[in-house]
Amino acid sequence: MSNRSFYQETFSQVHGSGDIRWEDYQMMKRRTAGKRLAVIAAAAALAAALSGLAVAANFFGLGDLLLPEQGSVNVTDENGVVVPGEYEYKDFVSLSGWSDTPESQALAEWQAFQERYDRDGAIIGAIGNAPTGFEERYGNYLVYTQEMADRLEEIIAKYNLKLHTRMEVVLPETWPLAVGDFFRENVTPWSGYIYENGTFRFDGGAELGAGELKGYGTIEYQFSRSVKGTFDDVALNVGDLSGFEEWGCQTTDGTPVTLGLGPRNRSLILADLGDSFILINVLTGREGDDTFSSGPIGREELEELADSFNFSALTPARAPDFDGIAAANTRYMEELERQPLEVTPEESKDPLYTRTGIQTGTARDFVLLLAERLKDGDRQAVAELFAYPVQIETAGGAYAAGTPEELLEHYDETIGEGVQGLIADMTWDPEPLPPEIFSDGSGLASAAGGTVWFGLTEEAVIRIFTLQTDQWSIRPAGGITQG
């Protein structure tokens, strides 16, 4: 499997925290303090993915999602390396709906507060992995002080909104049970997550080629539905609002949508369903490449992708059946383990090998090697274990790293910040228990309760693809492009 395949197959699958029932498939993620939840990291991945949007003067278009205050992002040089201490301001839009809705107005106030609060990360840095006492009520949000909790309570009271209380992972074949048959046969949803009110997000792919398109191929996207009445803190970096071609149309199921064709690797599909709002981030545009889709697209391709979803099946929104989702996830994982692969009789006795190409003993040795290098403080050796390029996400921003040396520039604020916890999660006495290392069918192996994901590169070398805690993450760069 190529690095690109690893990236696209694991982009949705390696994130999760809060009340996720990882035990349903042997992934118990530890809860730590000063939480920067993986769902927030996933949201940040989506937020940083957009680069430039334009809006034509029309009814409820891209500009009607714009938050009133710009947000700061780190400045990077021509190699994608962050310039220390330098920031630039970008436009952000809401995933919750048009800017005049209570949900988006609440988001605007929360974003403005966060923009000014703990700018240097000193508070969250001092907290580290210690419990904060805010996990139970605010486990789905970045709240780690009483001041933050008080401000969030003021905002949701002002706009009469609820907070998210629970989140479940949804594996690929579980989506119809979780939210209904909202996509056509050419669509493949990957893993994602769903909240108690029906808000959900996932990454996926679709095969285009009907009509005059003559077999475009795969187009990849990130799908978001935000149900109204609950506060959702996801905002998207949309650059400077220039370069998009925008128009409205009606899908085959009768849903009015707004389409935005981007200049490079980003396009948008928007749909207001009344009780919820849909935003689809499409990973290509007029001048796109084949990194995450089959190449550039035009209006026809974007309209065909919009027609690939039955938006009307998503309304009215309903609360998910968490027990049913958990059971379906378990069945899906069990089915993956039963799928035969072309292996020798001896190899077939090792489920991890059949899923990843890495024998269980070798995988354990690799994780213990990583723990040993962390314990010894051998930063260079740790950095050399990653598959590059990677994207680094911290409380202070997102950074690109294409080499071990570039990752080392952010070692202290990431790996160094939680090294003792990482070591504890990766070592066992005297031997790892079988559930400690597993695969979800993506081609990668995982250990330390989902903290580390690793797999084989094209050169048959084991490399780390994702290393994350609740405060920071280092993961494949394919998921984020700095706006």
Side-chain angles (χ1 to χ4, degrees):
M1 179 178 291
S2 67
N3 285 2
R4 178 173 177 271
S5 298
F6 275 128
Y7 292 171
Q8 65 189 31
E9 291 190 14
T10 61
F11 183 69
S12 295
Q13 300 179 33
V14 301
H15 303 294
S17 187
D19 291 328
I20 295 174
R21 296 174 57 176
W22 293 116
E23 65 269 25
D24 289 333
Y25 45 109
Q26 294 82 46
M27 285 183 64
M28 182 62 70
K29 182 172 178 61
R30 68 190 169 93
R31 297 179 60 88
T32 57
K35 297 179 71 63
R36 187 163 187 85
L37 297 174
V39 61
I40 295 172
L46 186 59
L50 303 178
S51 60
L53 305 176
V55 57
N58 66 0
F59 60 95
F60 289 128
L62 301 179
D64 294 296
L65 295 178
L66 189 64
L67 295 176
E69 185 171 327
Q70 289 185 316
S72 61
V73 297
N74 295 100
V75 173
T76 59
D77 61 21
E78 63 276 7
N79 297 315
V81 178
V82 169
V83 179
E86 292 192 20
Y87 299 89
E88 56 186 340
Y89 286 84
K90 301 289 187 179
D91 295 329
F92 280 74
V93 299
S94 170
L95 287 186
S96 298
W98 311 119
S99 57
D100 62 350
T101 63
E103 294 80 9
S104 290
Q105 290 174 341
L107 174 61
E109 292 197 23
W110 180 243
Q111 290 288 317
F113 169 78
Q114 287 191 308
E115 183 67 26
R116 296 169 177 81
Y117 188 77
D118 196 18
R119 285 280 292 174
D120 61 358
I123 298 175
I124 195 172
I127 292 172
N129 288 331
T132 65
F134 300 103
E135 290 84 0
E136 182 174 356
R137 177 161 174 77
Y138 307 105
N140 292 304
Y141 303 92
L142 178 56
V143 172
Y144 50 90
T145 67
Q146 187 62 54
E147 184 177 358
M148 299 182 79
D150 291 343
R151 183 66 182 117
L152 183 55
E153 291 293 344
E154 291 174 2
I155 292 172
I156 63 172
K158 177 179 178 180
Y159 293 100
N160 193 28
L161 299 175
K162 301 177 181 178
L163 293 179
H164 286 305
T165 59
R166 184 176 178 183
M167 184 181 73
E168 254 333 307
V169 162
V170 181
L171 297 181
E173 293 189 1
T174 308
W175 282 111
L177 181 148
V179 293
D181 293 319
F182 67 98
F183 51 86
R184 305 190 190 282
E185 293 181 356
N186 63 311
V187 168
T188 301
W190 302 332
S191 300
Y193 56 91
I194 189 168
Y195 288 106
E196 76 297 323
N197 68 338
T199 292
F200 66 83
R201 296 185 177 97
F202 68 90
D203 298 351
E207 290 295 319
L208 302 186
E212 299 178 357
L213 297 183
K214 299 179 181 178
Y216 167 83
T218 300
I219 188 167
E220 299 183 14
Y221 58 87
Q222 298 168 327
F223 193 107
S224 168
R225 178 179 78 169
S226 298
V227 177
K228 298 182 180 180
T230 299
F231 176 66
D232 205 42
D233 63 346
V234 184
L236 307 181
N237 175 2
V238 297
D240 62 359
L241 287 180
S242 63
F244 264 53
E245 177 186 358
E246 181 180 342
W247 71 101
C249 67
Q250 189 174 79
T251 61
T252 54
D253 73 341
T255 302
V257 296
T258 298
L259 305 180
L261 180 62
R264 290 180 288 277
N265 284 333
R266 301 291 179 260
S267 299
L268 288 181
I269 300 172
L270 312 176
D272 189 341
L273 303 184
D275 59 355
S276 65
F277 188 81
I278 305 295
L279 187 149
I280 304 174
N281 174 35
V282 184
L283 303 184
T284 190
R286 291 191 303 268
E287 302 170 7
D289 55 34
D290 62 355
T291 302
F292 285 97
S293 293
S294 297
I297 61 171
R299 293 170 65 108
E300 295 82 5
E301 287 84 357
L302 197 57
E303 289 182 1
E304 183 180 334
L305 180 60
D307 278 335
S308 299
F309 297 97
N310 299 311
F311 296 110
S312 58
L314 292 175
T315 186
R318 56 183 176 85
D321 175 5
F322 281 131
D323 291 338
I325 290 171
N329 284 344
T330 299
R331 291 193 297 270
Y332 174 75
M333 295 303 299
E334 291 173 347
E335 179 61 28
L336 283 178
E337 293 299 328
R338 287 195 294 267
Q339 291 179 4
L341 298 177
E342 295 182 3
V343 296
T344 66
E346 185 64 28
E347 292 168 344
S348 66
K349 299 177 183 178
D350 187 342
L352 186 69
Y353 182 87
T354 64
R355 302 259 60 86
T356 68
I358 305 173
Q359 294 180 352
T360 297
T362 303
R364 291 173 178 171
D365 290 344
F366 179 79
V367 175
L368 292 172
L369 172 66
L370 172 59
E372 181 180 350
R373 290 180 174 177
L374 289 168
K375 184 177 181 181
D376 292 342
D378 193 342
R379 300 182 175 204
Q380 183 69 36
V382 171
E384 290 175 353
L385 290 178
F386 283 84
Y388 291 91
V390 298
Q391 186 77 13
I392 302 167
E393 295 174 8
T394 71
Y399 316 94
T403 66
E405 288 68 31
E406 291 173 352
L407 184 148
L408 287 171
E409 296 177 11
H410 304 283
Y411 191 97
D412 288 336
E413 61 187 305
T414 55
I415 299 171
E417 183 73 25
V419 65
Q420 294 304 320
L422 292 173
I423 295 169
D425 283 349
M426 293 178 189
T427 53
W428 308 273
D429 185 20
E431 291 289 338
L433 297 174
E436 293 290 352
I437 296 181
F438 72 96
S439 172
D440 65 353
S442 66
L444 295 184
S446 182
T451 299
V452 58
W453 292 75
F454 56 96
L456 293 174
T457 66
E458 290 178 307
E459 294 76 25
V461 177
I462 301 177
R463 288 284 184 259
I464 300 169
F465 284 83
T466 297
L467 187 66
Q468 66 180 17
T469 68
D470 292 337
Q471 289 78 44
W472 54 264
S473 67
I474 302 172
R475 58 185 186 79
I480 294 183
T481 299
Q482 182 69 39

